[in-house]
Amino acid sequence: MTSTETQPAPPTAPTTAPPPAQPAAGDRRRWYALAIVMTAAFMDLVDVTIVNIAIPSIQRDAGASFSQIQWITAGYALAFAAGLITGGRLGDIHGRKRLFLVGIGGFTLASALCGFAVNPEMLVASRLLQGAMAALMVPQVLSIVHATFPAHERGKVFGLFGAIVGLGAVSGPLLGALLTEWNLFGLEWRPIFLINLPVGVVAFLLGRRFITESRAPRALKLDLVGVALVTLGLLMLLYPLTRGRELGWPLWGQLSMAGALVVFAVLVAYERRKGARDGSPLVELSLFRVKSFAAGIAVQTVFGLALGIFFLVWTLYMQTGLGWSPLRAGLTGVPFSIAVSTAAGLSVQKLVPRFGRGVLQAGALVMALGVLLYLAESERYGLGIAPWQMALPLVVMGVGMGLIVAPLTDAVLSEVPREHAGSASGLINTVQQMGNALGLGLVSVVFFGVIDDGLAPAQVGPAFVHAFQHALGWVAAVLGAIFLLMFALPRRPAQHREGAEPALSVEQEPELVG
């Protein structure tokens, strides 16, 4: 169980932009600022993984339906994706420090609402708010780092950022498992959200003191109509997809999903007009004329879809199907997380510079092989499977995923015009989250769709095991499609250089103010 967020891409800025005025190299305040924004990034990464492990406990304790547990995870991803680009632009316009503080304050408040939710409906609504606040907070992290540190220090800083990503991937499931297992003060699963409160409050107070304000000298304008159309289209697609099975696939749901395609067509037409009018559309459509970028966006979306399916059904399989405790399930995922982190570092530093696109394609095939091995092990051992029998397929899957996630953004961006690299990077991260939300929505089809209603207690375990095996077949097929899509990526991405920096959410260098 690991975060499905990909590493951001290297930044670019027009050669005509004035260099930012960073704090002096001896200023220790910038390291305090780094610790604060890295804490916020860690909170977001852990929040993605910590919830998955607690989903069965939430379902039992809160009485959530299958569609509601999908929305507890998909709602966060949807709100995060819909607001990501706009959150970055708001920081460019009004100041990264200001938006960071609004985001982390709102994220902390939303975490409290999640922890004290009185019913599943309130929990879903609070998770939507939490995702929206994360969309204000997360884009500011790398922008603040870029504005605070001089170029010669950023390699070390982004190395720390990579370590935080790996730590979040490993610690999230374990922390969620421990907090759920301990049942602190009889609160069941609620501490997985309430733990954000003291961390968020301290980060907010220290952020006010130590973070230096910055904004873009030439920030792009907001595109709120574009955000509304994207959100509407995704809701029209995801809501009937998650509720359809429970309601018997009503006609209104089918019409809503078809209508989503119309909304997306309107979005394309509107974005084309807005781009011609003021040059600040939510989606830069000219990017899709670059074959490698268009293919890469498809890969990111479909890859997010595969991960969205797998991580939710994996949790349900272990805890509901096999009857394992959250701690046992969390520990089972450790080899996977370690394999992802190890392979990701190896792929970027050693393999991709030498073998190029083949590393990503090998990753898709290796991950598919791991999925098929997992399917074979599950069929062989059934309800009696042990964690050590899952270790080999999970390590193989983790290696495959690691070979993909780290270098994929670089490959997608390698043929994008330099002046559009910031917009392209933001769009890549956005569609990956949208794919994740769509995958979580599809769980109702590929997993719950093969589980009969009204199962006797003795039938639940075998039914969930069978549904997991069915879902793994779909995940393997999706990874095969990803392998084919990768043929459209450049053979050898151009941007392989030491100390590559993650991209900003905008195309301009930051400007310190105040």
Side-chain angles (χ1 to χ4, degrees), residues 80-102:
F80 185 52
L84 199 54
I85 295 176
T86 299
R89 291 189 186 175
L90 284 169
D92 299 337
I93 297 168
H94 299 291
R96 280 67 176 264
K97 175 182 177 178
R98 178 181 297 177
L99 264 292
F100 175 82
L101 293 176
V102 170

Side-chain angles (χ1 to χ4, degrees), residues 214-262:
S214 67
R215 57 175 61 97
R218 297 186 303 277
L220 296 177
K221 297 179 181 179
L222 298 180
D223 182 6
L224 298 181
V225 175
V227 173
L229 289 172
V230 167
T231 305
L232 177 62
L234 287 172
L235 284 173
M236 291 175 64
L237 183 62
L238 287 175
Y239 185 76
L241 194 61
T242 54
R243 293 297 311 278
R245 173 185 171 274
E246 294 179 2
L247 301 176
W249 299 107
L251 178 61
W252 66 261
Q254 299 174 42
L255 293 175
S256 176
M257 287 188 284
L261 301 178
V262 177

